[in-house]
Amino acid sequence: MGIIRKKSAGRGTEGGVKVVCDVCSVDITSTVHIRCAHAACHEYDLCVPCFSNGASSHSHDPPTHPYQVIEQHSVPIYTEDWGADEELLLLEGAELYGLGSWADIADHIGGYRTKEEVREHYDKIYIESSKFPLPERASPNDLTLLQTITREEFQARKKRRVEDRKEAAKTAQPAPPKTKPTASVPACHEVQGYMPGRREFEVEYANDAEDAVQHMQFDPGDGFNARTGELDPEVDLKLTVMDIYNCRLTARVERKKVMLEHNLLEYKKNVAAEKKRTKEERDLINKTKPFGRMMNHQDLEEMCHGLLHEHNLRQAIGQLQAWRQMGLTDLKSGEKYEADKQQRAQRVQSSNPLDRLASSRTSKATPPVEAPGAAAALTAPELPLRPPPRSSPHMPNGSQENGVANSHSSGTPTPPSSNKSRIVMQPLPNVQPLRFESEAPADWHLLTRDEQQLCTMLRIYPKPYLVLKEQLMKEAMKQGGNLKKKVVKEICKIDPIKSYKIFDFYVNSGWIAKA
């Protein structure tokens, strides 16, 4: 056997296919040698001295076996820096290892060719050729490169290139030691059953989808019936089964894409984030998870952040309303009330002897105490000052119409300024003001004193008034804070005189401006 296909060096080194004499084992890769052409001798090579002396081995018979002279094909045919021998080794390596295995093909060629160099050469000469799949200079009559560069000059260039790369390889820094790769098994990941090396699960979605197509065959000639011109029922059934199988594969890929995009495989990180939330927040986040199939990770995070913020705001508003009903007027008093309430509950629980006896007999672990959520921060006394409202002729120094200004960090409201002018509402003709016999209607406490007077004189209940107020404020924000009486009349859709009174009240309060 004259050809040794064993890789004699590492990646990117001289390597290549070595040819040795089958009698004296001398390396004859780069020299002219003799090869037996008889069918009994497969790739049987001899050096020139052994051939001239008539030496032989195995079943080779020099007097009767034909032979051929193997010359050194180190001449350029397609490019100036690649010889014909390297072109043959490139095609042979592609046939042996397959296109794409450029590192193996480069080792097969040898001569310190790198995988990047081999891939670029193949793309440029074969793929990008106008005569694809043939190279540009595929014609046997094209001798331009042979006439331009002689054999001796090309071999001298090749020798210099090999020597330069050999010296560069000696002086190059040693490659870092290879670390043992993570085995692609379920035990090597946070989520049991997931194999990170293959990015697959041990049990996939629709795991038995391949069972329906594993024995399916399409024989040559299957398809349309020549007599009827219709598709054979058997082939039609096979295609239907293939469509079902492809749909299951698509669903499997989509589910895996959702898990990878939303980082659902980072189990420890997700559990740590869940522990920081309250039970209500965790329930709210779990309800939004189905939207992950339709939204990307950033949009889903923004939506969850907005929902959590709304949830915390609702809790804070409910807490503030409860404090207000109990007569608490500042945040500091509310915090003190909550602390006293918790202490009273602990004293009641510890003072009951039956509870102590039951707790001593049962060894149940105490439930974990949830950390205060984001809603507690919205009712803390250390809230930042609100920006003062825009001052108006009826509201000097930016004070509010209900006599309560911005709260300081201590929670004590600032008394209203002495020079503030209260808005006095005159009763409308033929309109009887509202009268409440026992208790105020719903949402009456949400109105300021001036608004309560306005609703009383205009005979508008709080809930319809709040709806009108919300619509007017939204329209004013769209118009830059300006509104016209005509627009207010169209939005309110009530008695024009009442709508004009509301408009004048908002303008005098400084909430909107005349357009």
Side-chain angles (χ1 to χ4, degrees):
M1 182 63 66
I3 295 181
I4 301 177
R5 299 189 184 278
K6 182 179 179 180
K7 298 169 186 173
S8 58
R11 297 289 190 190
T13 57
E14 190 170 4
V17 177
K18 301 297 182 182
V19 182
V20 297
C21 178
D22 283 281
V23 176
C24 61
S25 300
V26 175
D27 186 3
I28 54 178
T29 306
S30 303
T31 60
V32 178
H33 55 277
I34 310 301
R35 174 169 296 179
C36 180
H38 196 273
C41 301
H42 179 65
E43 294 183 350
Y44 188 89
D45 298 286
L46 294 172
C47 62
V48 175
C50 291
F51 175 76
S52 60
N53 295 331
S56 64
S57 61
H58 305 296
S59 60
H60 178 65
D61 187 12
T64 59
H65 286 189
Y67 64 90
Q68 57 183 355
V69 179
I70 306 299
E71 299 183 4
Q72 188 69 16
H73 302 296
S74 185
V75 290
I77 55 175
Y78 299 147
T79 57
E80 296 181 355
D81 56 343
W82 279 69
D85 53 347
E86 293 177 313
E87 298 288 352
L88 290 174
L89 291 173
L90 169 61
L91 299 178
E92 185 181 23
E95 183 180 1
L96 288 174
Y97 305 107
L99 288 177
S101 303
W102 302 114
D104 295 330
I105 297 175
D107 291 342
H108 186 77
I109 297 174
Y112 287 90
R113 295 287 188 186
T114 63
K115 61 179 182 180
E116 293 81 7
E117 186 179 4
V118 174
R119 182 180 65 249
E120 292 176 359
H121 176 76
Y122 184 84
D123 292 342
K124 180 180 179 181
I125 300 301
Y126 297 93
I127 302 300
E128 300 176 2
S129 173
S130 60
K131 301 178 181 179
F132 176 83
L134 298 177
E136 294 286 350
R137 303 179 183 274
S139 175
N141 300 325
D142 191 351
L143 304 177
T144 306
L145 291 178
L146 293 177
Q147 296 173 358
T148 305
I149 304 175
T150 60
R151 181 190 298 267
E152 293 76 12
E153 182 181 358
F154 180 81
Q155 292 180 355
R157 291 182 181 179
K158 180 179 180 181
K159 184 178 181 180
R160 286 196 302 270
R161 175 175 58 80
V162 172
E163 291 177 354
D164 293 342
R165 296 191 178 184
K166 187 182 295 185
E167 291 296 329
K170 291 180 181 179
T171 58
Q173 296 181 355
K178 294 183 178 180
T179 58
K180 185 178 180 180
T182 303
S184 183
V185 295
C188 294
H189 198 263
E190 300 174 4
V191 179
Q192 186 176 4
Y194 178 68
M195 296 174 283
R198 301 172 58 181
R199 301 187 73 178
E200 293 180 354
F201 290 90
E202 187 177 9
V203 179
E204 292 280 357
Y205 171 78
N207 197 49
D208 56 348
E210 286 77 10
D211 295 343
V213 296
Q214 60 179 346
H215 300 300
M216 185 180 297
Q217 294 182 357
F218 288 90
D219 298 327
D222 290 348
F224 287 94
N225 192 332
R227 294 180 300 174
T228 61
E230 298 178 355
L231 190 65
D232 292 340
E234 183 180 357
V235 176
D236 191 12
L237 178 60
K238 290 181 179 179
L239 294 177
T240 303
V241 174
M242 288 298 299
D243 291 340
I244 297 174
Y245 173 65
N246 291 329
C247 292
R248 292 182 177 178
L249 292 183
T250 303
R252 183 185 299 175
V253 172
E254 290 177 353
R255 281 163 172 77
K256 192 179 300 182
K257 180 181 177 182
V258 170
M259 288 185 288
L260 296 176
E261 182 177 1
H262 296 283
N263 302 325
L264 299 181
L265 296 175
E266 298 179 2
Y267 178 74
K268 295 181 180 179
K269 182 178 178 181
N270 295 334
V271 170
E274 289 289 330
K275 290 181 179 179
K276 297 179 181 179
R277 300 189 178 102
T278 62
K279 183 179 182 302
E280 293 80 6
E281 292 176 348
R282 288 195 295 267
D283 295 339
L284 184 60
I285 292 298
N286 290 333
K287 291 179 181 179
T288 62
K289 287 183 179 179
F291 293 97
R293 300 180 61 181
M294 298 170 284
M295 305 172 65
N296 56 37
H297 183 64
Q298 182 179 358
D299 294 342
L300 184 62
E301 287 291 326
E302 292 179 358
M303 186 185 73
C304 293
H305 179 73
L307 291 176
L308 290 177
H309 186 61
E310 179 189 3
H311 171 73
N312 295 327
L313 285 176
R314 289 180 180 273
Q315 283 190 336
I317 291 173
Q319 184 69 65
L320 293 174
Q321 288 177 348
W323 290 350
R324 186 172 182 177
Q325 291 177 358
M326 288 181 289
L328 303 177
T329 58
D330 54 74
L331 298 176
K332 197 168 186 179
S333 301
E335 185 183 24
K336 185 176 182 303
Y337 166 77
E338 293 296 332
D340 295 342
K341 179 180 177 181
Q342 187 175 5
Q343 291 178 1
R344 288 194 301 270
Q346 292 177 355
R347 285 198 300 268
V348 170
Q349 184 177 3
S350 60
S351 62
N352 192 345
L354 296 178
D355 292 343
R356 290 201 305 270
L357 180 61
S359 61
S360 62
R361 290 183 176 179
T362 58
S363 59
K364 293 183 179 179
T366 57
V369 179
E370 292 185 346
L378 298 174
T379 58
E382 293 77 13
L383 284 177
L385 293 177
R386 297 181 182 177
R390 184 174 57 183
S391 60
S392 66
H394 300 277
M395 299 177 61
N397 300 328
S399 60
Q400 296 181 356
E401 73 282 354
N402 59 353
V404 181
N406 296 328
S407 302
H408 296 285
S409 59
S410 62
T412 305
T414 304
S417 56
S418 58
N419 58 347
K420 178 184 175 181
S421 60
R422 291 288 304 274
I423 301 174
V424 180
M425 293 296 303
Q426 299 295 332
L428 297 179
N430 301 326
V431 176
Q432 186 69 23
L434 288 176
R435 293 289 183 268
F436 307 115
E437 297 178 356
S438 58
E439 59 181 9
D443 299 336
W444 183 257
H445 62 283
L446 300 178
L447 306 181
T448 63
R449 295 181 181 178
D450 293 337
E451 287 180 315
Q452 291 176 358
Q453 183 184 4
L454 175 67
C455 291
T456 302
M457 295 302 176
L458 299 183
R459 199 174 179 79
I460 301 177
Y461 282 87
K463 284 192 175 181
Y465 170 76
L466 291 175
V467 174
L468 295 176
K469 180 180 178 181
E470 181 182 5
Q471 295 178 355
L472 292 175
M473 290 305 167
K474 287 183 178 179
E475 185 65 25
M477 291 176 63
K478 295 179 182 179
Q479 303 297 333
N482 303 324
L483 278 181
K484 295 181 180 180
K485 278 191 176 183
K486 182 180 179 181
V487 177
V488 175
K489 175 184 174 183
E490 294 175 355
I491 294 176
C492 292
K493 296 181 180 179
I494 58 176
D495 187 3
I497 299 179
K498 294 183 179 181
S499 62
Y500 295 155
K501 287 290 184 181
I502 296 175
F503 175 78
D504 294 337
F505 173 78
Y506 287 173
V507 172
N508 293 333
S509 300
W511 297 348
I512 61 174
K514 289 184 178 181

